[in-house]
Amino acid sequence: MSNENVIRAWAVKEAGGKLERYDFDAGELGADDVEIKVEYCGVCHSDLSMMNNEWGMSSYPLVPGHEAVGEIIRMGSAVKGLKVGQKVGIGWTSESCQHCNPCIGGHGNYCPENVPTIAGNGRHQGGFADKMRAQWQWVIPLPDGIDMSKAGPLLCGGITVFEPLLQHNINASHKVGVIGIGGLGHMAIDFFNKWGCEVTAFSSTPDKYDEIRAMGAHNILNSRDPEEFAAAAGTFDLIVSTVSVKLDWNAYLRLLKPQGKLHIVGATLDPMDINAFALIAGERGVAGSATGSPVQLRTMIEFAARKGVLPITENFNMSEVNEAMEHLEAGKARYRIVLKNDFE
């Protein structure tokens, strides 16, 4: 196999397996493809879910990693608007058809033919590697001066919590809430604060309150205190849930103003029990979203660079990837893990 097309990576060979060194031939570079030398790659809980095939869509060998940043080293003949040597990032999506209505309408993340970066066994694999590829439309230019060691998590976690601001036309006059102060939630607080909103965090852990305020929360509601919930009824324009567990969703719906939205980005697998009258009485709604389109990703990363929105991260070398995944699975990550490429 041609050395030019060989990618050195860390992959799982089966569901639940450990990551192993894995070299593969990615084939000839496609006309629409961009190849980057990976400098850093964020670790997301979705990587763990895909490694374990929790969503039933994985194939193996699978190279995780969908928050990669680095430098363009090669481009196909049809690539536009990018150049070799440019600093860029690649998020959850690596390819879409570019001709369906969602793609043409600027919502390529909902293309029925879109290809996740970490689907496995495809011509595009993930960023736990020395190099990776994606269709050029999904390769996101990084603003000058952005901290490359922290930029990766913005391409999945960051866009996941930023997209609701765009979807619901949120502005600085709005009051927003964040459920779950973890890998997604801490970035949501920072984004919403820098957007100009009044931000409330929901937490039942008083020991974390000072840290949550330092993240940018103006207010904190005890998520286990019915009296605090009752006092805050009808005061929020938007509440974003980042958790993957079942909650009393009707209690949160009662916190919304008329036409307020409860927006779900945490991938809970349990059905949601929603009282119809909680929606009818006030024209409230429940919404959701998955990452973002190329233009939303560009908007998010430019805003983050201008306003200084960056995740709180812990760093591991890529050769320590199994230790990093164990750290994540144990719930010890504070708050996003980033791998540094240490392939020789």
Side-chain angles (χ1 to χ4, degrees):
M1 49 187 177
S2 166
N3 288 335
E4 186 176 48
N5 295 321
V6 171
I7 293 179
R8 298 175 294 168
W10 290 88
V12 286
K13 305 293 180 65
E14 60 184 5
K18 292 287 186 182
L19 287 148
E20 305 172 28
R21 277 284 289 105
Y22 171 63
D23 295 352
F24 66 98
D25 188 340
E28 294 299 318
L29 194 70
D32 283 338
D33 280 350
V34 172
E35 184 173 83
I36 75 167
K37 179 181 179 181
V38 176
E39 296 180 26
Y40 296 93
C41 187
V43 179
C44 177
H45 206 278
S46 299
D47 293 312
L48 194 59
S49 296
M50 290 293 289
M51 287 167 58
N52 295 331
N53 199 23
E54 292 176 7
W55 300 333
M57 57 185 286
S58 303
S59 58
Y60 302 91
L62 183 145
V63 179
H66 57 279
E67 300 178 342
V69 296
E71 180 179 306
I72 296 176
I73 53 176
R74 288 201 295 162
M75 301 191 307
S77 59
V79 173
K80 297 178 175 63
L82 299 169
K83 59 185 179 182
V84 171
Q86 186 173 1
K87 300 291 187 180
V88 295
I90 299 171
W92 176 261
T93 306
S94 66
E95 183 177 353
S96 58
C97 77
Q98 302 302 323
H99 61 77
C100 69
N101 284 348
C103 282
I104 291 172
H107 298 285
N109 46 319
Y110 299 119
C111 170
E113 298 179 23
N114 79 27
V115 179
T117 301
I118 54 173
N121 263 344
R123 65 193 183 95
H124 298 156
Q125 283 271 23
F128 292 6
D130 65 337
K131 298 182 292 186
M132 69 180 297
R133 296 176 179 180
Q135 186 182 43
W136 66 267
Q137 291 91 339
W138 291 98
V139 176
I140 308 304
L142 297 181
D144 292 340
I146 197 167
D147 185 342
M148 296 288 284
S149 71
K150 291 180 176 289
L154 294 170
L155 297 166
C156 177
I159 186 60
T160 295
V161 297
F162 184 82
E163 199 278 346
L165 296 174
L166 304 179
Q167 183 181 144
H168 302 298
N169 299 310
I170 297 300
N171 61 48
S173 72
H174 288 132
K175 295 182 179 182
V176 299
V178 179
I179 306 171
I181 316 304
L184 290 175
H186 87 283
M187 282 191 278
I189 290 172
D190 197 8
F191 267 118
F192 299 169
N193 177 294
K194 300 289 176 54
W195 201 250
C197 303
E198 181 179 320
V199 184
T200 297
F202 295 94
S203 174
S204 60
T205 311
D207 290 347
K208 291 177 66 174
Y209 284 7
D210 288 343
E211 186 177 9
I212 291 170
R213 289 189 181 94
M215 292 172 185
H218 301 102
N219 312 298
I220 301 174
L221 277 184
N222 187 331
S223 54
R224 295 181 180 173
D225 189 332
E227 292 185 3
E228 290 194 19
F229 268 51
T235 60
F236 289 89
D237 298 283
L238 172 70
I239 297 174
V240 176
S241 174
T242 70
V243 300
S244 56
V245 296
K246 189 172 184 176
L247 297 177
D248 181 355
W249 302 113
N250 293 302
Y252 287 96
L253 285 171
R254 288 191 289 271
L255 296 176
L256 296 173
K257 294 178 182 178
Q259 298 185 317
K261 300 295 187 293
L262 173 62
H263 193 103
I264 308 299
V265 297
T268 176
L269 300 180
D270 293 310
M272 296 180 68
D273 297 321
I274 300 293
N275 185 321
F277 284 102
L279 305 179
I280 294 168
E283 204 176 309
R284 301 179 182 92
V286 179
S289 59
T291 63
S293 67
V295 69
Q296 289 173 331
L297 280 157
R298 290 183 181 215
T299 300
M300 177 276 303
I301 203 75
E302 290 166 3
F303 178 82
R306 182 160 52 87
K307 290 292 189 176
V309 178
L310 287 171
I312 299 169
T313 59
E314 298 178 88
N315 296 319
F316 288 77
N317 287 324
M318 206 166 281
S319 57
E320 302 170 313
V321 64
N322 281 304
E323 292 89 333
M325 299 310 294
E326 289 168 6
H327 190 67
L328 175 66
E329 193 165 17
K332 296 179 179 179
R334 293 294 182 271
Y335 281 90
R336 303 291 288 201
I337 296 171
V338 175
L339 303 176
K340 182 179 181 181
N341 180 359
D342 63 346
F343 283 95
E344 295 295 334

